[in-house]
Amino acid sequence: MPLPAPYAPHGPYAAYGPAGPPPAPRPLARRLLAPLGTLAGVAAAFAYVGTVDPNEPGHYPVCPLLRFAGLYCPGCGGLRSAHAFVHGDLAAALGANALAVLGYGIFAVVMALWLVRAVRGLPMRLAVAPAWWWGIGAVLTAFTLVRNLPFGAALAP
């Protein structure tokens, strides 16, 4: 049933409904600002860690859990892993913190996805279900426990 004449949409935006036309797409440079800014920040951090060797004492603070409890947290060895990764020594990076190297790979995939979506003008939304967060927490907990036990010494930095 058509709407009566006074209520029928009219004018140049009648085909779009009451909200009007869709917004104009943002320019490519503006869409790439956030992903490229994030990538530049992470690249700068990796460049710094690649330049300032974490294997030499005094450059970085000691992990509080390691200092006060003598236990390796999931991030212990992460700076040494990043330093080795920057220098192309994948075996040393995996030996320092294998979970961090996995994180570098996941970050690279997410960044590539974000850049492709930005170029295409699509929004980037990462919605992680609570079950995934619980799974990530379980992996981090298991990694922490195993690397602090005698049989998991290979995972210790």
Side-chain angles (χ1 to χ4, degrees), residues 5 7 35 40 44 56 72 98 109 121 133 137 141 149 153:
Y7 300 105
E56 297 176 11
Y72 297 117
V109 169
W133 285 116
T141 301
L149 294 172

Side-chain angles (χ1 to χ4, degrees), residues 5 8-9 14 16-17 22 28 66 69-70 74 89 92 97 122 129 133 136 145 147 150-151:
Y16 299 110
L28 180 62
L66 182 60
D89 190 355
N97 191 326
L122 302 171
W133 285 116
I136 292 168
L145 290 173
R147 74 189 319 205
F151 64 85

Side-chain angles (χ1 to χ4, degrees), residues 79-135:
L79 287 173
R80 289 185 294 270
S81 173
H83 181 77
F85 191 80
V86 167
H87 289 277
D89 190 355
L90 189 59
L94 286 166
N97 191 326
L99 205 54
V101 176
L102 177 66
Y104 308 151
I106 292 170
F107 176 79
V109 169
V110 170
M111 280 306 305
L113 179 65
W114 192 6
L115 284 167
V116 166
R117 291 183 68 86
V119 167
R120 292 181 178 171
L122 302 171
M124 180 66 178
R125 292 188 181 96
L126 284 179
V128 181
W132 280 97
W133 285 116
W134 283 103

Side-chain angles (χ1 to χ4, degrees), residues 21-102:
R26 295 184 309 173
L28 180 62
R30 174 101 187 222
R31 292 191 314 253
L32 290 176
L33 189 62
L36 289 180
T38 301
L39 192 57
V42 171
F46 267 82
Y48 180 79
V49 172
T51 304
V52 181
D53 191 358
N55 295 305
E56 297 176 11
H59 292 293
Y60 300 99
V62 178
C63 172
L65 188 63
L66 182 60
R67 171 176 259 162
F68 298 119
L71 298 172
Y72 297 117
C73 75
C76 278
L79 287 173
R80 289 185 294 270
S81 173
H83 181 77
F85 191 80
V86 167
H87 289 277
D89 190 355
L90 189 59
L94 286 166
N97 191 326
L99 205 54
V101 176
L102 177 66

